[in-house]
Amino acid sequence: LLEILEQQSSKKLKPIIKSILNSIKEGNSITESFKHTNAFSNFFISMVHTGELSSNLDQVMYTLSDYYDKESKVKGKIKSSSIYPIILAVATVLSVFAMLFIVVPKYEEIYSQSNATMPAITQIMISVSNFLRHNFILIFFIGFTLIISSIYLVKNNDELKDDVYRLSFKLPKIGDYRLMDITNRFSKSLYILIRSGVEIVCAIDISAKVIDKDYLYKKISIANNSIKEGNKIGESLDDINLFSPFFIRMISVGEASGRLEETLAVVNKFYESEIEQNIEITMKYFETGITLVMGIIVGIIVIAMVIPMFNMVSAF
């Protein structure tokens, strides 16, 4: 099977599959062969290891295929939904720059040749245009430096990184989506692992790593330590104040009824639907917001530059 995959795979994937195949031929386990490539996540390796030990690798691979297929569809949905808002945002920026760098200077030249009194809003707009045109390189350099410095500080300061990450949850709509996405990924991973026979403490630890954020892993690890001490799963997850009340209630119900696996399956379907709806709503808000901002900015510039012309016409 791996030989067939190697022949049909892309140039990027072919050496990875070849490495796995050679490792297996050398007598290494399937898990070790996948892990040796450093191309797969801890979650994937753990699932392969579980399937290998339980002689249920085919079912595990099918489950993983379904999991990554759904993940890919969500990412594709986000990318396709964000194309139009991005185009709008770029158009807004270009429109504003075009008016400040091209339109406003022409009106300034016309008004400077007349004795018309310019209102405050027009004077402000002309001053802004002149400042940007004469200091564009300096402003661009300062802005670029600040952005690069901010990214560097966030990446190299764990406390600041955690603060920024926590702040992202408070953003309207975006914060709600991030929380749902985290819960969905954690829930899906937990469901797959429990279904494959992994004990709950190990399953929670692996699922926390799937989220791929140290801040979240530390929080979930606190809950996991509480579970190790004999506390209930729902109560332990509730104590870290990360997941929604709905998710905690569902976990508690599944735990109390001894049907946690079935409960997680229901939770996964719920969050898949919620995420899809949330993406559509968020993008619509984003589109409306950008359009409104674009209209306001362009409207202010146009009004500011046209008012003196009306004053000049009314003076005759």
Side-chain angles (χ1 to χ4, degrees), residues 117-144:
T117 303
M118 291 184 291
I121 188 172
T122 305
Q123 293 176 8
I124 292 172
M125 199 59 61
I126 291 174
S127 297
V128 170
S129 175
N130 287 330
F131 178 77
L132 289 176
R133 284 187 291 116
H134 295 141
N135 300 281
F136 179 74
I137 296 176
L138 179 62
I139 293 171
F140 177 81
F141 178 76
I142 293 174
F144 181 78

Side-chain angles (χ1 to χ4, degrees), residues 248-275:
I248 298 299
R249 283 197 299 271
M250 292 298 291
I251 291 292
S252 298
V253 170
E255 183 182 14
S257 62
R259 304 181 65 179
L260 184 57
E261 181 183 328
E262 291 86 343
T263 303
L264 286 171
V266 174
V267 170
N268 292 340
K269 289 181 180 179
F270 171 78
Y271 276 107
E272 284 173 9
S273 176
E274 285 293 302
I275 286 174

Side-chain angles (χ1 to χ4, degrees), residues 26-259:
E26 291 172 2
N28 296 314
S29 67
I30 297 175
T31 304
E32 290 173 346
S33 301
F34 273 93
K35 190 174 183 179
H36 179 71
T37 62
N38 294 320
F40 301 92
S41 64
N42 291 329
F43 169 64
F44 184 89
I45 298 298
S46 299
M47 288 299 300
V48 171
H49 182 61
T50 301
E52 189 175 12
L53 291 177
S54 62
S55 301
N56 196 28
L57 188 59
D58 57 339
Q59 184 61 42
V60 168
M61 285 297 184
Y62 176 79
T63 305
L64 283 171
S65 174
D66 182 61
Y67 171 80
Y68 284 113
D69 179 59
K70 290 178 179 177
E71 285 281 296
S72 177
K73 286 179 179 177
V74 170
K75 290 179 181 178
K77 182 80 173 178
I78 294 172
K79 288 180 180 178
S80 61
S81 299
S82 61
I83 291 174
Y84 182 60
I86 290 173
I87 292 174
L88 274 179
V90 173
T92 301
V93 173
L94 292 178
S95 298
V96 171
F97 271 92
M99 297 193 78
L100 290 175
F101 281 73
I102 299 173
V103 178
V104 173
K106 290 186 179 296
Y107 275 96
E108 180 187 6
E109 185 178 349
I110 294 172
Y111 296 148
S112 64
Q113 296 174 359
S114 67
N115 295 323
T117 303
M118 291 184 291
I121 188 172
T122 305
Q123 293 176 8
I124 292 172
M125 199 59 61
I126 291 174
S127 297
V128 170
S129 175
N130 287 330
F131 178 77
L132 289 176
R133 284 187 291 116
H134 295 141
N135 300 281
F136 179 74
I137 296 176
L138 179 62
I139 293 171
F140 177 81
F141 178 76
I142 293 174
F144 181 78
T145 304
L146 287 174
I147 292 172
I148 296 299
S149 300
S150 300
I151 293 173
Y152 178 81
L153 286 173
V154 171
K155 281 189 173 181
N156 293 276
N157 189 313
D158 292 336
E159 291 185 5
L160 184 60
K161 188 188 297 183
D162 290 346
D163 290 338
V164 172
Y165 195 72
R166 280 194 294 267
L167 184 63
S168 68
F169 287 100
K170 297 180 180 179
L171 296 174
K173 294 295 178 182
I174 296 176
D176 294 337
Y177 167 75
R178 290 186 69 87
L179 181 59
M180 282 192 289
D181 180 56
I182 288 168
T183 306
N184 183 48
R185 293 175 67 186
F186 178 78
S187 178
K188 278 183 179 178
S189 173
L190 193 60
Y191 166 73
I192 293 171
L193 291 165
I194 293 175
R195 184 183 179 185
S196 301
V198 180
E199 62 176 0
I200 187 65
V201 172
C202 185
I204 290 176
D205 184 69
I206 296 171
S207 299
K209 291 178 181 177
V210 171
I211 302 173
D212 198 27
K213 289 293 179 183
D214 291 337
Y215 166 72
L216 296 175
Y217 178 74
K218 290 174 185 176
K219 293 203 74 170
I220 296 174
S221 294
I222 294 173
N224 212 12
N225 291 331
S226 177
I227 295 169
K228 290 178 184 178
E229 294 172 358
N231 295 312
K232 293 181 178 180
I233 302 171
E235 292 177 355
S236 300
L237 291 174
D238 188 29
D239 289 339
I240 61 175
N241 296 318
L242 176 63
F243 300 105
S244 66
F246 167 77
F247 180 73
I248 298 299
R249 283 197 299 271
M250 292 298 291
I251 291 292
S252 298
V253 170
E255 183 182 14
S257 62
R259 304 181 65 179

